[in-house]
Amino acid sequence: MQIVLDYLKRNQARFVAELCAFLRFPSVSAQPQHKTDMLACAEWLAEHCRHIGLDARVCPTNGHPIVLAKTPRSKSSLKPRFMVYGHYDVQPPDPLDKWTSPPFAPRIQGRSIFARGTTDNKGQHFAHLKAVEAYLKTGTPLPCDLTFVIEGEEEVGSANLAKFLKSHRRELLCDAVVVSDTGMPDADHPALTYSLRGIIAFEITMHGPSRDLHSGIFGGALDNPAMALSQLLAKLRDKNGRVAIPGFYDDVAPLSAYERKQFKRLPITPAELQKLIGVKKLFGERGFTPFEQRSARPTFEINGLTSGYQGAGSKTIVPAWARAKITCRLVPNQRPARIRKIVCDHLKKICPQTVRLEIEAGHGAEAYLVSPKSPQAQAALRALREAFHREPVLLREGGSIPIVNDFKKVLGVDTLLLGLGLPEDNAHSPNEKFDLDCFENGQRMSALLWRELSNQPDFP
Ligand code: BES
Ligand code: MN
């Protein structure tokens, strides 16, 4: 093992240069104009996997391709097999004028590397690739077989990977999935995440007049869709921060006393959180701490709001339509299909007669919850402890990784969420970054993890 760890230590500068090459691809899955960049990024990644000694191929889908890479076939079929999942797609970099340096021109400053997709998620799964490289290039036998599945549609709901899992089930069967696409509370607290929130996405459009109208000639005699939409949205949250949709909380699993106690032990205070996110004052559901609110309680969030004229100066119109992009975060026991139905029914019920309401459904996924006490989770905690020289914490997190539910349903296995991101990494925000210490510790964690996971009593 020492020879693997020494290899990692010796090669950090090259690893960072390689990560920069990976980050230069503008692999934005949501935007059709980046389709060829997505393919080029997948090809680069597969080639890099081959270069470090893996058998790799680019698998086409109806959307963006999936990169599949495996450790060379071992003679012994008795070895456990683990899957490492990650995503090479990134969120749109907008607003561009808020970036200190261009989002796809990686910049290193101190121990941080800035670019879109550094922490979410290229840097994180690249750490696992570098760990396996260390085994392969030093001729150290791996105690297990590994399959890397790096997809290009995580940020848009993973619809094609879910199909791919079913059609390639036999090839992808494994003993557990390992994912580094979550966070740690700070650089001194490595973390095992045992719960994620689910999600439903949709768009509501309110249609008013058949075209934008002169607001002087017609305004006053018809409803304004932007106003009607604002009023409708304003009814959906009450003053206590609760979602005001009947039945929304019906199935929500309550937090155990043990969990509420765990939350109190996290190293970041509400005041620090307020400073980090730059708000005047925090706001959330009454009766819960900010940490509970953002990881273990459901939400109704407006992600985008558009209507009328957005250009310079003024334009006197009554807009023809208004639109809101919405996502609800869900918690364990809430069923996405049911929540989607009660939200739609409620919207239809409270929509005024003066406008026509259109609802377009988007992606959806259940929340994820797994026992942090399982032997696999304990093995992961040992690897974290040894790699970071710190005691790991257990986290529930608020983000979503839709595919982890399919890993359980289709392959029957749990996912170990071993995140390397920091709260200040600016995931989905301008000036996204990744900490180079997290990168290096993550590589070590991955190298140690295969030993810890493979040495469990349930394996020969
Ligand atoms: N890495 C995140 C998920 C995440 C972030 C989990 C922080 C826990 C803590 C992932 O890339 C992501 O952003 N997922 C999307 C999924 C959605 C588009 C279906 C999300 O959570 O918004
Ligand atoms: Mn993301």
Side-chain angles (χ1 to χ4, degrees), residues 87 120 154-155 181-182 196 329 363 397 399-402 428:
H87 62 95
D120 191 6
E154 195 273 347
E155 300 290 6
D181 191 23
T182 50
L196 293 169
R329 294 287 167 173
H363 54 77
E397 286 202 276
S400 310
I401 305 178
H428 296 202

Side-chain angles (χ1 to χ4, degrees), residues 2-23:
Q2 197 52 46
I3 165 170
V4 169
L5 299 177
D6 289 344
Y7 178 94
L8 292 175
K9 193 167 194 145
R10 264 200 324 274
N11 287 284
Q12 286 308 307
R14 173 169 60 83
F15 293 172
V16 172
E18 290 166 349
L19 176 57
C20 286
F22 191 16
L23 291 165

Side-chain angles (χ1 to χ4, degrees), residues 29-308:
S29 51
Q31 298 175 334
Q33 71 266 33
H34 287 296
K35 199 171 166 51
T36 52
D37 297 318
M38 292 295 295
L39 180 59
C41 187
E43 299 277 9
W44 181 91
L45 182 59
E47 186 50 41
H48 190 77
C49 289
R50 279 177 218 122
H51 182 72
I52 66 181
L54 299 170
D55 296 328
R57 61 185 209 262
V58 174
C59 305
T61 71
N62 284 333
H64 302 300
I66 296 163
V67 176
L68 197 65
K70 296 182 198 172
T71 45
R73 261 171 86 95
S74 62
K75 284 170 206 78
S76 142
S77 59
L78 294 174
K79 277 190 190 176
R81 176 178 286 279
F82 300 104
M83 184 202 292
V84 178
Y85 162 81
H87 62 95
Y88 67 88
D89 66 322
V90 305
Q91 286 273 322
D94 318 58
L96 288 173
D97 60 325
K98 294 279 187 271
W99 285 78
T100 306
S101 52
F104 299 108
R107 172 174 59 92
I108 294 159
Q109 188 186 324
R111 291 296 284 164
S112 294
I113 174 163
F114 288 86
R116 172 56 91 224
T118 41
T119 188
D120 191 6
N121 163 259
K122 289 171 176 169
Q124 296 207 42
H125 65 257
F126 208 63
H128 289 280
L129 283 171
K130 294 296 107 179
V132 75
E133 173 187 324
Y135 276 94
L136 297 176
K137 294 287 177 192
T138 58
T140 310
L142 268 158
C144 55
D145 294 320
L146 295 177
T147 305
F148 285 82
V149 176
I150 315 294
E151 71 153 319
E153 298 189 310
E154 195 273 347
E155 300 290 6
V156 291
S158 301
N160 288 300
L161 179 56
K163 282 182 222 153
F164 185 85
L165 282 187
K166 287 181 199 128
S167 58
H168 292 70
R169 188 177 168 275
R170 283 185 63 91
E171 187 178 359
L172 298 176
L173 282 176
C174 57
D175 298 284
V177 181
V178 171
V179 179
S180 291
D181 191 23
T182 50
M184 40 199 281
D186 64 31
D188 290 331
H189 291 79
L192 169 75
T193 292
Y194 67 95
S195 182
L196 293 169
R197 285 193 288 193
I199 192 165
I200 53 166
F202 53 96
E203 277 186 31
I204 1 185
T205 309
M206 275 198 176
H207 299 275
S210 57
R211 59 205 180 278
D212 289 355
L213 295 175
H214 191 300
S215 63
I217 301 177
F218 298 104
L222 75 159
D223 202 352
N224 179 311
M227 179 62 82
L229 179 61
S230 309
Q231 287 175 329
L232 177 111
L233 292 172
K235 289 198 181 91
L236 300 177
R237 195 184 74 189
D238 72 13
K239 63 177 193 311
N240 292 323
R242 281 177 68 88
V243 180
I245 298 171
F248 190 79
Y249 292 93
D250 280 2
D251 299 322
V252 169
L255 275 160
S256 68
Y258 168 79
E259 282 183 305
R260 300 200 82 168
K261 216 164 88 197
Q262 287 292 310
F263 272 117
K264 294 216 173 80
R265 291 178 31 194
L266 292 181
I268 171 168
T269 66
E272 284 162 347
L273 176 67
Q274 179 181 334
K275 196 162 162 243
L276 173 71
I277 57 183
V279 287
K280 237 179 103 192
K281 194 171 189 297
L282 292 173
F283 176 84
E285 187 185 356
R286 188 181 285 181
F288 297 90
T289 68
F291 306 102
E292 293 166 347
Q293 288 160 355
R294 67 194 186 96
S295 61
R297 298 296 296 169
T299 62
F300 181 101
E301 211 78 66
I302 304 170
N303 305 127
L305 198 51
T306 323
S307 181

Side-chain angles (χ1 to χ4, degrees), residues 384-395:
L384 285 172
R385 193 176 291 124
E386 191 173 337
F388 285 81
H389 308 294
R390 294 276 192 282
E391 191 53 32
V393 293
L394 298 176
L395 287 186

